[in-house]
Structure formats: C-alpha cells, structure tokens
Amino acid sequence: MGIFKSGIPSSAWRALGAIAIPHVAGGINALLIRPLSDPWYQELKKPSWRPPSAAFAIVWSTLYTGMGYASYLIWKDGGGINGAARIPLTLYASQLALNWSWNPVFFYFRSLKWSLVDMSFLWCNVAACIFEFWKINKTAGILMTPYLAWLTLALSLNYCIWRDNKENQKSKAE
C-alpha cells in the first residue's frame, strides 16, 4: 500500500497532488492576469445574466477540485500514462493548457475573438475528455460534467461579450 511516515497512504498523496495541479496553476494564472484586467473588463458590455464576479472563484475552485480528482481516478484505474489512461490524460493535459491560456488571451491580450476560439476548442476538448474518462472510470466522467456545464455558460458569455463589443475588438496583439 505504500505509506509515508505521516501515516497517510501514498494514494491519498497522489490524489492530493492531482487536485493541486489545476489549483496551483489556475491560481497563479489568475494572480498574474487579474491586475491587468479590471478597468478594461469593467467597461465591456456584458449580458445581464452574467454571474456575479464573486461566483467565479468559488466555481473554479470547485471545478478544479473535481477535475483534479477525476484525473487521479483515470491515472489510477487506467494504468498511468503508459496504460489505457494515455489518451484520456493527454486530453486532460491539453484541456488544462487551453483553460490556462484563456485568461491571458482574454485579459492580457484583450482579444475577444481569440478567447472565443480558445474557449470553443476547450469546450470540445473537455467533451472528448469526458467521453474518454467515462470509458475508464464512470465517476471520473461524472466529475467532469459540471466543468462542461460551466464552460457552456462561459462560452455563451464569451460569445455575447465578443458580439456586443465590436468597437473593442482590437487587441493588444494586433
């Protein structure tokens, strides 16, 4: 079973590590980008149904926990990166990269169009990830479904912001 000196099983440490990965990188991403976003973002036209700003940190923390644990279940039940988990974990890693790239594209480069493209690819990637996770561990697939639901809302929000801010389309990168 492999127990560290702390008495906590090594499987618990692995699960905690898998949960920590999206939290740490997502938190660093948010801290680096947040100061750059406030004035510009506040001026954008946003739909009336946009969730309150305080909801985003709560939702993302919850989603990161679920997706991190789901990745651990896939790694454990799918034989690690050299087993059946290879494709699902590759999809998982690529969706994390797309997830973490959205903040800089939207807030730093201020590209409403390219953030929409990123979010569209992210949505498709997470849908594929759920499908592949489900094959190995149904609980892992279920844990990823709230993430896809939130991304559906986020994609709709991103689209409406892009659509309603035509005068604000020129990004820093252009």
Side-chain angles (χ1 to χ4, degrees), residues 125-142:
N125 189 304
V126 171
C129 196
I130 291 169
F131 180 77
E132 291 297 324
F133 274 27
W134 187 268
K135 291 179 189 177
I136 293 173
N137 182 304
K138 288 179 178 38
T139 300
I142 291 168

Side-chain angles (χ1 to χ4, degrees), residues 28-104:
I28 290 169
N29 190 350
L31 288 173
L32 293 175
I33 298 301
R34 186 174 183 94
L36 302 171
S37 66
D38 290 321
W40 172 78
Y41 182 72
Q42 298 307 322
E43 293 174 11
L44 292 174
K45 294 177 197 143
K46 295 176 269 314
S48 61
W49 49 265
R50 180 179 106 25
S53 296
F56 286 87
I58 295 165
V59 170
W60 278 113
S61 294
T62 304
L63 294 173
Y64 281 152
T65 300
M67 71 173 77
Y69 188 67
S71 73
Y72 164 73
L73 292 175
I74 295 305
W75 176 83
K76 180 177 70 76
D77 292 352
I81 198 69
N82 293 321
R86 175 175 288 216
I87 290 172
L89 290 176
T90 300
L91 283 167
Y92 179 75
S94 62
Q95 72 79 24
L96 283 176
L98 288 165
N99 178 312
W100 297 332
S101 68
W102 185 88
N103 261 355

Side-chain angles (χ1 to χ4, degrees), residues 110-132:
R110 299 179 180 174
S111 178
L112 304 177
K113 174 180 70 176
W114 287 109
S115 64
L116 182 60
V117 170
D118 180 285
M119 183 69 70
S120 299
F121 281 117
L122 175 58
W123 192 97
C124 293
N125 189 304
V126 171
C129 196
I130 291 169
F131 180 77
E132 291 297 324

